[in-house]
Amino acid sequence: MLVLGVETSCDETSAGVVKDGREILSNVILSQEIHEKYGGVVPELASRIHITELVDIIDMALGRAGVRLDDLDGLAVTYGPGLVGCLLVGISFVKSVHQSTGIPFYGANHLEGHIFSNLLEQSEIKTPHITLVASGGHSNLYFVEEWGKYKLLGSTRDDAPGEAFDKISNLLGLGYPGGPAIEKESIGGNRDFINFPRAMKDRDNYEFSFSGLKTAVALYLKDKPPDFINDHLADIAASFQEAVCEILVIKTLNAAEAYDISQVSITGGVARNLRLRGLFEERKPANLEIFIPGPDLCSDNGAMVAACGSFHLQKGERSNLSLNAVPYLEL
Ligand code: KG4
Ligand code: ZN
């Protein structure tokens, strides 16, 4: 089964072709760089770039996969959560391809797409397992009972971890996107330089909160002379990064223990962070396996949408022309 996945929910314009729900034939990702100069995603610009670039990106995805449109058995497109104007570009495109070719299509939940990215590289991951989706908009911990069946154990009460990285990066003058910028600045920094707060560390609580941490960093910076901040930029970045990573690790490992689970996966843009990956390896019990997809599969991409769509299309599930964007779609 050959499925083309289209992802335009935020600032990545992406398309990928996946065979039998597992094998990536292509995964073309355009990360829109224009937002860097605004310090965050400008929705209007993001949707306009999706419009101008999507056709070429899809052409490239088909070309690299060595397939033509009529070879496809299905189409999949993210219909939420995300920025409404951005989602509508992908949805309209896929609907029109469906209308002109008759190829069936499926509207995929972006969060489920992130969970399916695990299957693309790590076929050993089984169900049940615990998965953490840590991104610019989410911090969701799920018990994956079986593929397609998820129990949300907890999510963030305020900011998402990626959002915290982006905001603190702005405060430190390190630019957007903040995750990679802070990770780079942290190299060689002292993680114990400042003990920033880790919110709601108690067991059996799988909710996250990152806004207090953000305020703590802002207050810390407020009364420090610019020279001191400059001299200790790496230490401040490393201490902040440690606080975010530690809380993600603690809660995920607590959930794995409580549910007596032997496999855990982490996906979403924040899962690209090497300290997060390292900390999971340091803290995990010996009998627990940690799965984290490669960097391109952690960030938003078309292949994960294709993998998710393949699963549902295979079961006979279809969307129709009434599919609309759902910005706050839940899973
Ligand atoms: O999953 P994603 O590509 O898009 C959303 O669905 O939100 O995640 C984007 C987020 C951004 O906030 C970005 O700063 C963060 O992932 N991110 C990182 C890293 N790379 C991207 N956070 C921490 N460390 C990284 N290396
Ligand atoms: Zn995402």
Side-chain angles (χ1 to χ4, degrees):
M1 184 184 215
L2 280 180
V3 173
L4 170 74
V6 174
E7 162 59 44
T8 63
S9 67
C10 192
D11 59 341
E12 261 87 26
T13 313
S14 180
V17 178
V18 167
K19 188 178 170 192
D20 298 331
R22 294 214 162 201
E23 189 188 339
I24 301 177
L25 301 189
S26 65
N27 196 17
V28 182
I29 305 166
L30 169 78
S31 293
Q32 303 176 359
E33 285 173 6
I34 193 166
H35 308 289
E36 280 171 27
K37 69 174 180 208
Y38 300 101
V41 179
V42 183
E44 170 77 13
L45 291 176
S47 48
R48 284 173 184 274
I49 296 171
H50 289 314
I51 286 182
T52 55
E53 302 304 320
L54 186 58
V55 175
D56 281 352
I57 296 290
I58 290 177
D59 263 350
M60 253 186 260
L62 293 173
R64 286 188 197 169
V67 301
R68 291 174 319 150
L69 214 46
D70 15 309
D71 296 324
L72 297 173
D73 301 296
L75 307 161
V77 60
T78 301
Y79 80 103
L83 300 167
V84 67
C86 293
L87 294 163
L88 285 171
V89 177
I91 295 172
S92 306
F93 186 88
V94 165
K95 277 188 193 174
S96 57
V97 175
H98 159 76
Q99 187 74 336
S100 56
T101 60
I103 302 171
F105 76 105
Y106 179 78
N109 183 315
H110 181 81
L111 296 164
E112 193 179 17
H114 274 302
I115 296 175
F116 268 89
S117 64
N118 286 299
L119 271 186
L120 290 168
E121 274 181 349
Q122 287 134 347
S123 46
E124 320 92 278
I125 194 151
K126 303 270 187 321
T127 55
H129 67 256
I130 296 282
T131 199
L132 171 72
V133 182
S135 70
H138 293 87
S139 184
N140 288 8
L141 197 55
Y142 295 99
F143 175 69
V144 182
E145 197 175 330
E146 57 187 67
W147 294 103
K149 206 167 172 193
Y150 315 97
K151 180 181 174 197
L152 180 64
L153 302 179
S155 57
T156 184
R157 291 193 181 172
D158 37 60
D159 292 355
E163 198 179 350
F165 269 105
D166 294 337
K167 285 179 179 163
I168 296 305
S169 180
N170 254 337
L171 276 185
L172 295 175
L174 296 172
Y176 177 87
I182 288 198
E183 178 168 15
K184 192 166 163 223
E185 187 60 45
S186 299
I187 297 170
N190 177 3
R191 298 170 194 136
D192 303 319
F193 189 68
I194 313 136
N195 186 18
F196 287 126
R198 277 77 161 150
M200 302 189 293
K201 259 169 84 172
D202 40 318
R203 295 186 87 76
D204 306 330
N205 177 347
Y206 306 120
E207 300 277 294
F208 297 87
S209 165
F210 294 99
S211 78
L213 170 61
K214 198 181 63 190
T215 309
V217 179
L219 288 175
Y220 177 84
L221 295 174
K222 206 170 149 207
D223 58 0
K224 300 284 179 300
D227 282 354
F228 176 89
I229 295 175
N230 271 340
D231 290 349
H232 291 286
L233 209 49
D235 300 326
I236 300 166
S239 301
F240 163 74
Q241 176 176 260
E242 194 69 5
V244 177
C245 293
E246 194 179 19
I247 204 73
L248 293 174
V249 169
I250 290 174
K251 301 230 167 207
T252 309
L253 294 183
N254 281 350
E257 192 186 338
Y259 282 78
D260 194 19
I261 284 296
S262 62
Q263 291 186 325
V264 155
S265 78
I266 305 108
T267 58
V270 178
R272 295 174 72 116
N273 188 282
L274 294 179
R275 178 59 189 150
L276 181 68
R277 290 166 179 246
L279 204 56
F280 264 109
E281 288 304 324
E282 268 175 36
R283 299 275 179 92
K284 78 176 187 71
N287 58 352
L288 185 72
E289 279 183 286
I290 308 281
F291 293 93
I292 308 181
D296 274 358
L297 286 174
C298 286
S299 297
D300 295 349
N301 67 91
M304 73 182 197
V305 179
C308 175
S310 302
F311 171 81
H312 290 282
L313 288 162
Q314 192 85 52
K315 294 204 307 181
E317 296 172 42
R318 305 277 185 268
S319 297
N320 59 42
L321 292 176
S322 66
L323 182 73
N324 202 349
V326 183
Y328 295 101
L329 183 66
E330 293 183 353
L331 178 72

